Amino acid sequence: MSLATHAGTFVLGNRPVTRMGYGAMQLAGPGVFGPPKDPAGALAVLREAVASGVDHIDTSDFYGPHVTNRLIREALHPYVDHLTIVTKVGAVRGADASWNPAQRPAELVSAVHDNLRNLGVDVLDAVNLRVMGDVHAPTEGSIEPQFTALAELQQRGLIRHLGLSNATSNQVHQARGIAEVVCVQNHYNLVHRADDALIDELAALGIAYVPFFPLGGFTPLQSDALSSVARRLGATPMQVALAWLLARAPNILLIPGTSSLGHLRENLAAAALSLDAAVIDELTAIGATAVAAH
């Protein structure tokens, strides 16, 4: 059994994927802008991820921009049949590395074609609409024009499955009235728990929940309690944080990102880390404390 497959599987649309995936964002340069410092190392990370059982890669053409998709193509094309590549549209990068909304239907259509071209495919496995009402957190607002534009591309055969990123429960409901939603990708981790209710709601619907920044993102998770649990288990704090996410709900799919082979192996090894009920409760209390303090 390869490393990633210890996490088990969940069906993303009609595609079974291992619950331990890989996020390509960190393969771009600093600030997710420009080329990687070590292009050969980036290619090696992608190839080892797939060789280790990862069959779900998250990316976007606005990473770089255009950097991570081209790296994925160079490293892995022609793609194995069981590999699912999920991308997202809805933003563009400014010359100053800023993240700017690109939500008009014409911009979304253009972005889909950019992803097709740079990944080297005729159809995208899955496309998430990145809602940009607030760059940092989900905010309410209609997404009907945007999601309809993507649904039309799906009907034309350019996209297999659709999802949402940075979305609220109401936006998920609105989108499901337009086309099937197979995944929701929001900010969530051991201490950032705003989506607890949404995760359970999606689990009941059979929809995957994909937490971004599962390890805290640009500010790694810091917790004395987490470190204490990790020491007792003989694991790293980041491995324990990933294992807690896998235990949190069966519909959670992980996409931890790294540009390091060592960190990749460490992340994937978390799939085999078993947490008993008492440890899960102890870790869950960390998040409850953080929420109360906030």
Side-chain angles (χ1 to χ4, degrees), residues 93-230:
R93 305 300 296 280
D96 59 351
S98 56
W99 302 79
N100 303 309
Q103 298 274 305
R104 290 184 295 115
E107 292 173 312
L108 298 173
V109 170
S110 177
V112 165
H113 283 283
D114 284 345
N115 279 277
L116 289 164
R117 181 177 61 256
N118 287 319
L119 286 170
V121 295
D122 295 323
V123 56
L124 297 170
D125 295 327
V127 174
N128 287 324
L129 171 66
R130 207 327 174 149
V131 184
M132 296 289 284
D134 181 325
V135 173
H136 304 292
T139 52
E140 297 294 355
S142 174
I143 57 169
E144 187 274 334
Q146 301 97 310
F147 206 73
T148 297
L150 294 180
E152 289 171 354
L153 294 177
Q154 182 183 41
Q155 291 163 8
R156 288 172 47 194
L158 298 180
I159 302 170
R160 290 191 178 94
H161 299 294
L162 295 174
L164 294 169
S165 178
N166 201 39
T168 69
S169 175
N170 286 334
Q171 288 162 343
V172 174
H173 179 76
Q174 183 182 42
R176 292 182 71 229
I178 297 167
E180 182 184 9
V181 173
V182 305
C183 56
V184 174
Q185 185 183 105
N186 280 6
H187 183 189
Y188 183 84
N189 54 48
L190 182 63
V191 300
H192 190 280
R193 301 271 295 283
D195 270 3
D196 272 330
L198 179 59
I199 290 170
D200 297 337
E201 175 187 334
L202 296 175
L205 295 169
I207 297 173
Y209 182 91
V210 187
F212 65 74
F213 294 156
L215 298 176
F218 301 110
T219 306
L221 297 177
Q222 300 292 327
S223 164
D224 291 340
L226 174 60
S227 296
S228 174
V229 170

Side-chain angles (χ1 to χ4, degrees), residues 213-267:
F213 294 156
L215 298 176
F218 301 110
T219 306
L221 297 177
Q222 300 292 327
S223 164
D224 291 340
L226 174 60
S227 296
S228 174
V229 170
R231 284 193 296 271
R232 297 203 312 266
L233 296 178
T236 69
M238 297 301 97
Q239 287 175 324
V240 174
L242 291 172
W244 178 85
L245 284 168
L246 288 172
R248 168 62 183 82
N251 62 321
I252 286 183
L253 302 180
L254 298 187
I255 50 167
T258 180
S259 59
S260 157
L261 282 172
H263 286 155
L264 173 70
R265 293 164 186 157
E266 178 183 318
N267 290 342

Side-chain angles (χ1 to χ4, degrees), residues 12-160:
L12 186 68
N14 62 354
R15 301 171 70 87
V17 298
T18 58
R19 295 180 62 210
M20 179 65 78
Y22 173 76
M25 184 178 75
Q26 292 188 34
L27 294 183
V32 200
F33 197 72
K37 297 177 184 177
D38 179 9
L43 299 176
V45 166
L46 284 163
R47 289 169 179 149
E48 177 149 336
V50 173
S52 300
V54 167
D55 58 11
H56 169 209
I57 294 177
D58 177 80
T59 185
S60 174
D61 217 48
F62 54 71
Y63 294 162
H66 315 304
V67 169
T68 60
N69 280 355
R70 290 172 180 169
L71 288 169
I72 290 169
R73 180 177 185 174
E74 182 177 351
L76 302 174
H77 195 277
Y79 306 114
V80 293
D81 288 342
H82 62 277
L83 179 63
T84 296
I85 300 175
V86 180
T87 189
K88 67 187 70 63
V89 296
V92 293
R93 305 300 296 280
D96 59 351
S98 56
W99 302 79
N100 303 309
Q103 298 274 305
R104 290 184 295 115
E107 292 173 312
L108 298 173
V109 170
S110 177
V112 165
H113 283 283
D114 284 345
N115 279 277
L116 289 164
R117 181 177 61 256
N118 287 319
L119 286 170
V121 295
D122 295 323
V123 56
L124 297 170
D125 295 327
V127 174
N128 287 324
L129 171 66
R130 207 327 174 149
V131 184
M132 296 289 284
D134 181 325
V135 173
H136 304 292
T139 52
E140 297 294 355
S142 174
I143 57 169
E144 187 274 334
Q146 301 97 310
F147 206 73
T148 297
L150 294 180
E152 289 171 354
L153 294 177
Q154 182 183 41
Q155 291 163 8
R156 288 172 47 194
L158 298 180
I159 302 170
R160 290 191 178 94

